[in-house]
Amino acid sequence: MKKLILGVILIFSALQSCNTKVDAQVSSKTKKISELSIYNLPSKWTNQNGQDIEMKDLKGKVLVMVMIYTSCKSACPRLVADMRNIESRLPENIKGNVKLVLVSIDPEVDTPERLKAFSIENKMETDQWIFLRSTEENTREFAAVLSVNYKKVSPMDFSHSNIISVFNAEGELAYQQEGLGVNSDETIKKITEEAVKLN
């Protein structure tokens, strides 16, 4: 009889822990968006697969974001290498909770087809990697949110800030890494802290 009661208690507690996890996931999806969230932005974006999305479609994941342009020959390859380095150092148990997002500052050149080719060239083809482009106006607005400054300095070149931004699952800025080839330990620590909350 004791064994039977113990078995019922164990099953009940297991069911409760499953429900708690489901509740946490549901609440993160239905939770009211804070005023500081990028999910308030109404802008429409197109990804490397030609699909139209809004920022709020990424809700519920930790986002690691950087602004680049694919024809860049100086800073952007380093930023891309930094993003790949961050991805490679993330603990396996949280990788599913993280999206790595590269936003183009040159939407005229960076068509979805070009972004797709770039993702293949740079071996960034898993579902974890998202490449986005939008209108010039939306791109400027988003750059302002990330504190990224950029300007066209020639027909093919831009000067721009080198910032990698980490957003929590609610779309609020949690951390920023500035510079090229810098130590990413703090960035990875912050991504992991935020992503563990979603397990």
Side-chain angles (χ1 to χ4, degrees):
M1 186 67 179
K2 272 186 180 175
K3 278 185 182 174
L4 180 65
I5 292 167
L6 189 62
V8 170
I9 290 168
L10 284 172
I11 289 167
F12 183 71
S13 62
L15 285 172
Q16 267 197 317
S17 68
C18 287
N19 285 342
T20 307
K21 189 170 179 180
V22 170
D23 289 347
Q25 287 171 343
V26 168
S27 69
S28 93
K29 288 278 186 193
T30 56
K31 197 172 158 189
K32 191 175 184 298
I33 297 171
S34 88
E35 287 177 18
L36 301 172
S37 176
I38 57 168
Y39 302 139
N40 289 311
L41 294 171
S43 48
K44 301 269 193 297
W45 298 79
T46 308
N47 68 14
Q48 72 268 35
N49 299 315
Q51 298 161 322
D52 292 332
I53 69 163
E54 292 178 44
M55 284 297 163
K56 65 183 177 188
D57 295 331
L58 303 176
K59 192 176 180 208
K61 299 287 184 187
V62 175
L63 306 179
V64 186
M65 298 187 127
V66 68
M67 296 190 83
I68 62 155
Y69 63 108
T70 62
S71 55
C72 176
K73 298 288 182 275
S74 50
C76 300
R78 292 299 305 277
L79 283 171
V80 168
D82 288 344
M83 288 286 280
R84 287 179 58 184
N85 176 50
I86 287 167
E87 187 272 339
S88 72
R89 292 177 58 202
L90 293 176
E92 282 300 323
N93 66 319
I94 61 142
K95 280 193 174 181
N97 298 335
V98 180
K99 293 283 186 191
L100 299 119
V101 186
L102 294 91
V103 180
S104 173
I105 60 175
D106 188 11
E108 200 176 317
V109 171
D110 290 338
T111 60
E113 295 76 18
R114 174 67 197 121
L115 293 175
K116 182 73 172 175
F118 187 83
S119 74
I120 293 166
E121 286 161 24
N122 288 281
K123 298 180 171 56
M124 300 158 102
E125 297 169 78
T126 63
D127 289 345
Q128 216 173 358
W129 296 98
I130 301 173
F131 291 78
L132 296 177
R133 68 176 295 280
S134 190
T135 62
E136 180 63 39
E137 187 185 349
N138 289 341
T139 306
R140 286 262 167 226
E141 180 185 46
F142 195 65
V145 170
L146 296 186
S147 302
V148 170
N149 296 310
Y150 69 93
K151 68 175 181 178
K152 204 163 198 171
V153 291
S154 78
M156 288 295 287
D157 287 313
F158 292 79
S159 71
H160 59 89
S161 311
N162 302 308
I163 298 173
I164 294 174
S165 303
V166 178
F167 289 87
N168 65 20
E170 278 77 51
E172 297 156 344
L173 185 63
Y175 187 78
Q176 286 192 307
Q177 169 183 309
E178 196 160 356
L180 298 170
V182 298
N183 185 311
S184 296
D185 290 354
E186 280 303 312
T187 308
I188 290 157
K189 184 180 167 196
K190 194 64 191 175
I191 295 166
T192 305
E193 274 173 22
E194 292 297 338
V196 161
K197 295 174 187 174
L198 305 173
N199 277 348

